[in-house]
Amino acid sequence: MATPLVVSEVFKSFTMHLRDGIKLPVVNDVNFSVASGECVVLGGPSGIGKSSILKMLYGNYAVDAGQILIDHKDRLVDIARADPRTVLDVRRHTLGYVSQFLRTVPRVSALDVVAEPLVARGIAAAEAREKAAELLAKLNLPQELWTLPPATFSGGEQQRVNIARGFITSHRILLLDEPTASLDATNRRVVVDMIADKKREGVALLGIFHDEEVREAVADRILDVSQFSPRKAVAA
Amino acid sequence: MTDTPLLKVSGVSKFYGSRIGCKDVSFELWPGEVLAIVGESGSGKTTLLNCLSTRLMPTTGSVEYRMRDGNFRDLYHMSEAERRFLMRTDWGFVHQNPADGLRMTVSAGANVGERLMAVGDRHYGKIRETASDWLTRVEIGTDRIDDQPRAFSGGMRQRLQIARNLVTGPRLVFMDEPTGGLDVSVQARLLDLVRGLVNDLGLSAIVVTHDLAVARLLSHRMMVMKDGHVIEHGLTDRVLDDPREPYTQLLVSSILQV
């Protein structure tokens, strides 16, 4: 089984220069990998560094030490060291991310927000919109909202737009940051089914799910992030 | 991904007497990439932009541009005529104040058409047709084609300036605080427009701004300047989500939340 994502010996801390340069360690010595067709769930209490790990993998956070190896176009890219152009190419073709909150752009319709990752990969706008419509329908987003910019949508509606945007491409690795947090039971089930579909397609998934029911349904294994916490090391 | 940069900047410095304008700036810009230069007033952003766009001669360093024939030319080893031709055809420059980039006393259509004539178009009907097409793209009614920009609002002038710059299909556009003097609703419209055009046309752009939200929305990569030096440089998301330098942290933490 292919392993498109390998994280090894990753360290991360924040230096707060505005607070006299105090150093906040976030995670120490993170080691794990995710195989194709597998869904790994990051577990542990809030503030332990789960989101930080996802953000490092996606290139939003810098890494102090270690490697994040991603199988991108048949070669290994180390996200921890890659230049911005490579990170963007990895995001466009290999690595997807569903964030907790949607960053809306003024005046762009929900349909176009969802279609954008496909258009960025060079797929015709009409075809991309068709696929976007399909996904929004699956996620039960009322059709009259599709042509509106999502800025005024409710939390759950925005999150469904966000999920559709993340799931529309056939990225080989997908990061999920609490995609079901503000969804009702029906839509949670839809997302669980969509994750199962991705697994069957051989996508490697890494996610954070606080909802126990969803976690039970999707997780192949749970990775306890507190083992990487520097705070635990001090206590022990 | 194409494997040749469009612009290669190495060791560019500009001194005003003994005062530093910008110091030892090096980077490469790739096709389709938008680079934001941020920093407070007086940090050297505009000096750097002017040095890159041949509007100001750097004291030291070189700026090389990949011409349409694929060869790199050092901008400061070209003749003045070649530089001007490049500026009028393959490049665009969007000024903060539209009056600096437009001819205020000729019609909107002529403002757009003038750049077309610079690349050799002579057919009046076609020029007018292209001009009105571009006015539509920047959301200016075609019934305003014969009006002078003097009669336009600030937001309309800025959109006209963008149309004037993009009509020749430039590969590189410089923007100096493109949303500077505009109110927020007009800003949002302009940003969305610029973002769409950059995506559709595959432009490269260098955008100077002090507005980090503008930078987040438009740019892939970001350079933070302070006292003439580039102090931090990286993926826009990374610089804004995990700023490393004390000054960048101050800048990011100073954004007002709405």
Side-chain angles (χ1 to χ4, degrees), chain B residues 71-89:
Chain B
N71 295 322
F72 279 96
R73 296 283 307 276
D74 191 324
L75 298 177
Y76 293 98
H77 289 137
M78 285 182 183
S79 68
E80 183 62 28
E82 283 177 297
R83 277 207 293 267
R84 290 177 68 89
F85 185 71
L86 196 63
M87 198 75 183
R88 282 205 311 255
T89 57

Side-chain angles (χ1 to χ4, degrees), chain A residues 12-18 55 58-64 72-73 75 84-89 91-92 103-108 116, chain B residues 1-3 30-31 33 139 188-190 192-193 195 199 216-217 220-221 233-235 237-239 241-246 249-250 253:
Chain A
K12 168 74 190 161
S13 64
F14 288 113
T15 307
M16 318 292 273
H17 291 289
L18 305 180
K55 283 178 179 159
Y58 202 58
N60 279 34
Y61 282 179
V63 172
D64 296 347
H72 171 62
K73 293 180 177 169
R75 65 190 179 97
R85 210 166 68 94
T86 311
V87 175
L88 289 171
D89 198 58
R91 287 181 179 185
R92 202 172 301 129
R103 197 186 302 283
T104 56
V105 179
R107 299 209 315 159
V108 179
E116 200 207 325
Chain B
M1 287 207 294
T2 45
D3 282 297
W30 303 78
E33 201 172 46
E139 302 171 15
R189 184 171 179 190
L190 191 81
D192 171 35
L193 189 83
R195 197 173 154 274
N199 286 346
R216 167 86 89 173
L217 201 63
H220 303 114
R221 235 167 69 189
H233 184 187
L235 191 71
D237 286 344
R238 207 280 295 153
V239 174
D241 289 349
D242 184 15
R244 314 290 276 180
E245 292 295 318
Q249 292 190 352
L250 179 66
S253 66

Side-chain angles (χ1 to χ4, degrees), chain B residues 58-157:
Chain B
T59 315
T60 57
S62 74
V63 182
E64 287 177 276
Y65 180 70
R66 181 157 55 83
M67 307 296 280
R68 285 193 189 247
D69 63 9
N71 295 322
F72 279 96
R73 296 283 307 276
D74 191 324
L75 298 177
Y76 293 98
H77 289 137
M78 285 182 183
S79 68
E80 183 62 28
E82 283 177 297
R83 277 207 293 267
R84 290 177 68 89
F85 185 71
L86 196 63
M87 198 75 183
R88 282 205 311 255
T89 57
D90 214 20
W91 286 8
F93 196 106
V94 176
H95 296 263
Q96 175 171 9
N97 179 1
D100 295 339
L102 293 171
R103 290 188 198 281
M104 298 303 281
T105 53
V106 303
S107 71
N111 262 294
V112 178
E114 188 187 0
R115 290 258 305 190
L116 284 173
M117 293 177 72
V119 292
D121 280 9
R122 289 294 178 266
H123 188 286
Y124 178 79
K126 277 191 195 132
I127 291 174
R128 192 172 167 92
E129 197 180 312
T130 313
S132 72
D133 173 48
W134 267 93
L135 290 184
T136 315
R137 286 179 82 161
V138 297
E139 302 171 15
I140 297 177
T142 45
D143 58 327
R144 304 295 302 268
I145 192 167
D146 294 318
D147 291 351
Q148 295 175 6
R150 281 192 300 187
F152 286 3
S153 68
M156 279 173 81
R157 287 179 189 180

